[in-house]
Amino acid sequence: MDTIVIDAFAARGHALDVAIRTDDFQVMLGMIAARLAVGLLPSLAVGGSHPGIVLRPIADPSFVRSILVATSAEGSTRGPSTAVRQLVLAIRDAFNALPSA
């Protein structure tokens, strides 16, 4: 994610100076609530409201994210198993059921 954000700022002529970085969403939420940082979070990581934090959607349709399902390479020439296909369908249904931002 860092490269995407840094490149997006650079494309608009701004240099981004990252002083603190964490992949721990709870740490990030705490830092944001304490006014030590701002952050970019996937909506699934937030899971509801948090005291001291306001969530704002990024209103840019080009700002999207791809999610992949990782499976064993064994048997990969036959394509995904029925279980993997069912998992992908369940995930797709869950995402489609989320309220849009």
Side-chain angles (χ1 to χ4, degrees):
M1 174 88 90
D2 290 352
T3 304
I4 294 169
V5 174
I6 290 169
D7 289 349
F9 272 76
R12 301 271 194 227
H14 302 286
L16 188 61
D17 182 20
V18 179
I20 302 169
R21 184 182 185 289
T22 181
D23 289 327
D24 185 319
F25 296 129
Q26 294 306 310
V27 168
M28 187 182 300
L29 290 169
M31 291 173 60
I32 293 167
R35 301 179 65 185
L36 297 172
V38 297
L40 297 174
L41 297 158
S43 58
L44 291 175
V46 178
S49 64
H50 291 272
I53 296 177
V54 175
L55 301 172
R56 309 230 184 257
I58 297 173
D60 183 343
S62 67
F63 199 83
V64 296
R65 186 175 191 176
S66 296
I67 298 175
L68 306 173
V69 175
T71 64
S72 169
E74 186 176 325
S76 63
T77 58
R78 295 187 305 264
S81 68
T82 300
V84 170
R85 287 194 305 273
Q86 291 299 317
L87 173 63
V88 170
L89 289 173
I91 292 169
R92 186 176 297 139
D93 290 346
F95 281 137
N96 288 336
L98 292 172
S100 49

